[in-house]
Every structure is written in structure tokens, then in C-alpha cells.
Amino acid sequence: MGAYSPIGSSPALTLGQYASMVPKDQPPVVGMIGGGQLSRMTAEAATALGIGFRVLAERPDDPAAQVVRDTRIGSHLDADAVLEFATGCDVITFDHEQVPAKILERLIERGISVRPGPSALLHAQDKAHMRAALTALGVPCPAWSTCSRVEEVASFGDEHGWPVVLKATRGGYDGKGVWVVSDIAGATRALATGQGRGTEWLVEEHIAFARELSAQVARSPQGQAVAYPVVQTRQMNGICAEVIAPAPSLSDEHAVRAQEMALRIAGDLGVVGMLAVELFDTGDELFVNELAMRPHNSGHWTIEGAVTSQFENHLRAVLDLPLGDPRARAPHAVMVNILGGDVDDLYSAYRHVFARDPELKVHLYGKAVRPGRKVGHVTLLGDDADDLLARGRHAADYFTGNIDE
Ligand code: ADP
């Protein structure tokens, strides 16, 4: 390309030099790696904010790829595809935690912002790394150890009591890679599932929790942070099924403790964006189970239920903008996931569920229905959590075909 000489300037500048001198009149572009439903819902927030939003999706029919015009198709494991995708974005962020650190470091070497950065993200990628870091911070976790042989699991079980929980340190989600084992035979079977794949294992004390909670915070690079109300989650077969916000009858003391823990973890691990801290509540104590450094299923209620949704605050955080108010708009919000069932045509439920409950809010992700797969969710706001839960379950069951009236 030839040199470009704006009137009155001398000497001549290349186009690139000139471009870097003129004030940027375009809003920033956020690039999100992963084209799932989290990306699709972040796109809605990006649209409202009028910012650029680019998605790296594996397939053209991924939930976000269906709706985001600036979608690139490629694998998050392909370093060249990720670099090409990221070039021209102002910041790169994620809808899942599976991008290898090496690929992200390469982006950073090229001057591209990655938020959260690879060293923070490692705590959400590797459960053993997470446990070691949280233990060093003095955050309460189940007793744990890394292990590779059944004898190690046996001696851990003899010391801490059976059953124990065996977890693949990497690559698990929605309970895949998590095994509750009651004896040596169970441990042998679980470890055998990783054979030949180089799986590394974590063995944990089984916590007899009364319920599971999630504490979400957003944190920006300059260190501003906001905490959402602590919610109760219910998992079925390792998959989040329902969320109640705020967690019913959680004492102020425990709610504040959970929020403080999440804020501290975000600050100490250098998280930027949304952080979800999944917790076990035994009634007396709170233990950290897991960390997620992205928008999270436990925060879908915030779209309608909070002043600022988790998706908007994730974008604000990665762009280092002031964060939005995380407070709830109603005394209670309930979110129920629509898990794939017998009915393929989810749209066919709309006439019935909308007629039955005009307050119901529905989000469908554009996914093909497969048994147990998260294909959408419903949200309700109001005063009575039990009533909201009954109505939310009814709607979700109608979508999946479990009930027909
Ligand atoms: P994933 O990363 O696949 O979501 P998690 O570590 O969150 O896996 O575990 C999935 C589910 O297994 C948890 O939500 C919880 O219900 C159960 N679980 C995990 N760890 C323990 C534990 N130490 N004690 C009791 N239950 C556990």
C-alpha cells in the first residue's frame, strides 16, 4: 500500500500510522471465544450497549453463531484460528474455560487484552490448581488431595471417611468427570475411565451439604467489584436445574460471608469479568466447591431480576467500564432450566405457557433437543419463592413434554 498523506501533514505517514493517530470513533469490539448460550446472551447485552461483539464458534449452528453477525468459525484449540479471530478485537473474553493458556499467552504477546487472563483462568481450568490456591488463601474447601493410584484413594478414604469424591482435574463440566465412590472397587472403576488419557485426579472429602449456593461477583481491571445476591442452586445428575434468588432463609451472616469470600477470591486471583463461586452449605459452614470465570447458569435470573445483568456486567468489567448495580429488582427470582426431553419443537409450547402465565419470561438457545441438554430457561419474579418455583417448574416441564396441560 502506498503512503497516505493527510492535508497539511508532513512527512507522509503509512495508513497504519495514520490510523493509530486519529481518535477512534468506533465503539470497542469484544471478542468472545465460544458460541454457546452464554455467548448468545452476552450478545444481547452487547447489542443494548451498542458495542461491537465478535464470536468464535465451532459450528455455524452454535447458539451465538445463529444471532451474531460477526461470527468466525474455528476451534478454540487452534492457535492460528484464535489469533486471527482476536486480531482487531479490543478485548478477548470467554463463554467457557477451555482455551489453553499457551494460546492466550500468544495473544497477550501480540498486545491483545485477554480478560480474565490465563493465570487467573487456570484456577477455573484445573481443579487441583484451584484447590491449592484457595487453601493457600485460607478459603474453606473440602479436604482434598491429588491422586493417581487406587491405594492413594483408599488411604484418603480411610483418613477422611467414605464415600469420597473423585474428580478429573481438567475438562469436566456439568458433573462429567465427577464420581462419588464408596469403596475401593468404585474408585478402581472411576480411575479406569481416565486410563490412557493422561487424566489427573483430585480426591475430595464428600460434603453432606444441605444445599448448594452460588456467589457471583463482577470485577474490573482497576479493581472495582460488585457482589450479586447469593442464590441457591439445585443440580440434577450434576446439571444445574433450578436457581432461587436470593437463597431462601440464608442468614445475613452467611450471605455476607459468601459474598466476601467471592470478592476476596476475585481480587486475590486477579479475576476480571464475572466470577461464580459455587458453595456447599451444610447449615453451619460454607465450603467452596468450584469457580467459574465467565457468566454462569446461576446468574441467568439477573437478566430480568437484577438492575444490571451478569452479561452486561461481564462486558462492562472486561471493558474496564464502571460496573452496574447488581441488586435484585424483586423480593424473589426463580430460574428453571429447560432440559431436553421428548419434544423437539420447543416453540410449540409457547402458546400454552404464555397463555397460562403472562409473567413468565422464556429464553430458548436455538439448540437441537437432546435428552438432558440445556436448551433454554424460564424466569419468574415475585414475592413468593415457592409459588414462583411451582410455576417455573410447570413451564419447564411443559416445554420438555413431561406434562401436557
Ligand atoms: P463440574 O465442574 O463438572 O460442574 P463439580 O466439581 O461442580 O463438577 O461437581 C458437580 C456436582 O457434584 C456438584 O454440584 C455437587 O453436587 C457434587 N459434588 C462435587 N464435589 C462434591 C463434594 N466434595 N462433596 C459432595 N458433593 C460434591
Side-chain angles (χ1 to χ4, degrees):
M1 288 290 288
Y4 177 70
S5 178
I7 294 164
S9 83
S10 166
L13 299 171
T14 65
L15 256 184
Q17 286 167 327
Y18 181 64
S20 68
M21 285 171 61
V22 290
K24 206 165 181 276
D25 57 1
Q26 291 296 313
V29 177
V30 175
M32 191 170 253
I33 299 183
Q37 62 264 24
L38 301 176
S39 197
R40 179 172 167 126
M41 289 184 270
T42 308
E44 290 180 47
T47 303
L49 293 172
I51 58 172
F53 190 65
R54 183 183 293 177
V55 164
L56 181 66
E58 288 195 87
R59 286 172 293 275
D61 63 347
D62 282 350
Q66 295 171 29
V67 296
V68 174
R69 199 173 56 157
D70 193 3
T71 291
R72 314 287 166 96
I73 304 299
S75 167
H76 59 275
L77 303 174
D78 176 344
D80 292 335
V82 173
L83 180 60
E84 196 182 321
F85 165 77
T87 304
C89 291
D90 293 84
V91 58
I92 292 300
T93 189
F94 313 94
D95 102 329
H96 61 69
E97 287 117 351
Q98 308 302 334
V99 188
K102 270 196 178 142
I103 293 185
L104 299 176
E105 274 147 18
R106 194 161 157 228
L107 302 187
I108 293 167
E109 281 162 20
R110 306 282 177 110
I112 299 167
S113 291
V114 175
R115 293 174 173 165
S119 55
L121 204 58
L122 187 55
H123 301 93
Q125 293 175 323
D126 185 315
K127 291 181 203 279
H129 192 77
M130 177 265 295
R131 283 278 177 256
L134 295 186
T135 304
L137 290 178
V139 171
C141 292
W144 64 278
S145 174
T146 52
C147 64
S148 54
R149 291 178 302 114
V150 74
E151 295 77 23
E152 293 167 311
V153 181
S155 68
F156 184 94
D158 291 344
E159 186 184 346
H160 297 280
W162 297 87
V164 299
V165 184
L166 268 170
K167 298 181 175 183
T169 57
R170 283 176 174 261
Y173 67 96
D174 285 349
K176 294 182 179 68
V178 174
W179 308 78
V180 178
V181 300
S182 311
D183 50 27
I184 292 175
T188 307
R189 278 196 298 275
L191 293 181
T193 62
Q195 221 143 49
R197 286 194 265 152
T199 308
E200 290 174 22
W201 294 93
L202 187 66
V203 56
E204 283 185 0
E205 169 192 9
H206 182 266
I207 304 288
F209 54 79
R211 59 175 168 179
E212 294 186 68
L213 304 175
S214 171
Q216 282 192 296
V217 296
R219 182 174 177 276
S220 68
Q222 56 176 300
Q224 191 198 355
V226 295
Y228 282 88
V230 178
V231 303
Q232 177 175 324
T233 63
R234 194 167 70 86
Q235 339 292 320
M236 272 164 39
N237 306 321
I239 299 182
C240 174
E242 297 167 352
V243 172
I244 306 174
S249 353
L250 184 66
S251 67
D252 288 347
E253 187 203 332
H254 277 193
V256 169
R257 193 188 300 168
Q259 288 179 318
E260 282 177 352
M261 244 191 260
L263 289 167
R264 203 172 136 229
I265 292 168
D268 286 350
L269 302 187
V271 178
V272 172
M274 287 298 303
L275 168 72
V277 178
E278 296 176 24
L279 298 152
F280 298 136
D281 179 3
T282 63
D284 302 325
E285 286 173 276
L286 300 176
F287 296 95
V288 172
N289 174 34
E290 265 272 79
L291 305 181
M293 296 182 189
R294 51 174 166 74
H296 188 250
N297 201 165
S298 65
H300 291 356
W301 69 275
T302 63
I303 297 175
E304 292 89 4
V307 177
T308 315
S309 80
Q310 62 163 345
F311 301 101
E312 178 172 346
N313 260 341
H314 187 75
L315 289 169
R316 291 202 203 190
V318 300
L319 289 167
D320 206 7
L321 292 169
L323 300 175
D325 188 342
R327 280 177 301 178
R329 288 180 180 278
H332 287 286
V334 161
M335 190 269 346
V336 181
N337 274 341
I338 301 171
L339 302 175
D342 299 331
V343 181
D344 290 333
D345 176 13
L346 296 172
Y347 181 82
S348 66
Y350 273 162
R351 192 167 303 280
H352 180 85
V353 297
F354 285 154
R356 199 173 191 276
D357 197 338
E359 290 177 16
L360 186 80
K361 305 301 286 183
V362 180
H363 299 255
L364 293 182
Y365 308 149
K367 285 165 130 177
V369 172
R370 285 208 292 271
R373 189 182 198 200
K374 290 176 188 171
V375 289
H377 73 265
V378 299
T379 303
L380 286 154
L381 310 182
D383 295 327
D384 180 344
D386 291 336
D387 170 61
L388 301 177
L389 196 54
R391 285 156 57 199
R393 284 178 183 170
H394 184 283
D397 278 341
Y398 191 86
F399 272 104
T400 53
N402 289 346
I403 52 174
D404 61 6
E405 57 181 343

